[in-house]
């Protein structure tokens, strides 16, 4: 099991290795990460990776292009719906406002 820490709440969730981050909503009753389309095209689930960026898999070109369109460049942002937890990580949910 791999540990995902979600800020700003500090909630920790254990998921099997390789699980998509969308599985978080089945493990806890709170909706800590807002998921919309689940296909990487709405931007509802933008997260900032604080620790363990290599534990979330590599972003593909489409994800990187979309993050750039959203003004989220620099490599610390990801779309949670496109990530699979391979090791422990800590993320912060980005406020859409």
């Amino acid at each position: 099991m791999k540990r995902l820490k979600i800020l700003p709440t500090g909630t920790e969730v254990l998921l099997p290795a390789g699980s998509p981050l969308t599985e978080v909503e089945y493990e806890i009753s709170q909706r800590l990460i807002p998921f919309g389309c689940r296909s990487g095209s709405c931007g509802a689930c933008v997260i900032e990776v604080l620790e363990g960026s290599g534990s979330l898999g590599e972003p593909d070109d489409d994800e990187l292009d979309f993050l750039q369109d959203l003004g989220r460049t620099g490599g610390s942002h990801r779309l949670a719906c496109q990530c699979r937890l391979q090791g422990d990580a800590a993320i912060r949910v980005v406020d859409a406002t």
Side-chain angles (χ1 to χ4, degrees):
M1 299 293 275
K2 304 302 177 185
R3 184 177 311 278
L4 178 67
K5 185 172 186 177
I6 305 168
L7 298 172
T9 63
T11 302
E12 292 189 3
V13 179
L14 294 175
L15 296 172
S19 293
L21 294 195
T22 54
E23 293 295 310
V24 166
E25 65 187 5
Y26 302 114
E27 297 298 320
I28 55 176
S29 60
Q30 302 164 305
R31 187 173 178 187
L32 299 179
I33 303 172
F35 291 106
C37 67
R38 291 177 169 72
S39 65
S41 60
C42 73
C45 64
V46 174
I47 56 172
E48 180 183 8
V49 182
L50 304 173
E51 295 176 16
S53 61
S55 297
L56 299 176
E58 291 297 318
D60 65 19
D61 290 339
D62 289 336
E63 180 181 356
L64 293 172
D65 288 345
F66 189 62
L67 286 166
Q68 184 174 2
D69 291 345
L70 295 174
R72 304 290 183 175
T73 58
S76 64
H77 291 93
R78 294 289 308 272
L79 298 174
C81 70
Q82 301 301 297
C83 296
R84 291 189 172 272
L85 192 61
Q86 302 295 334
D88 296 347
I91 64 170
R92 176 177 295 134
V93 177
V94 174
D95 188 1
T97 57

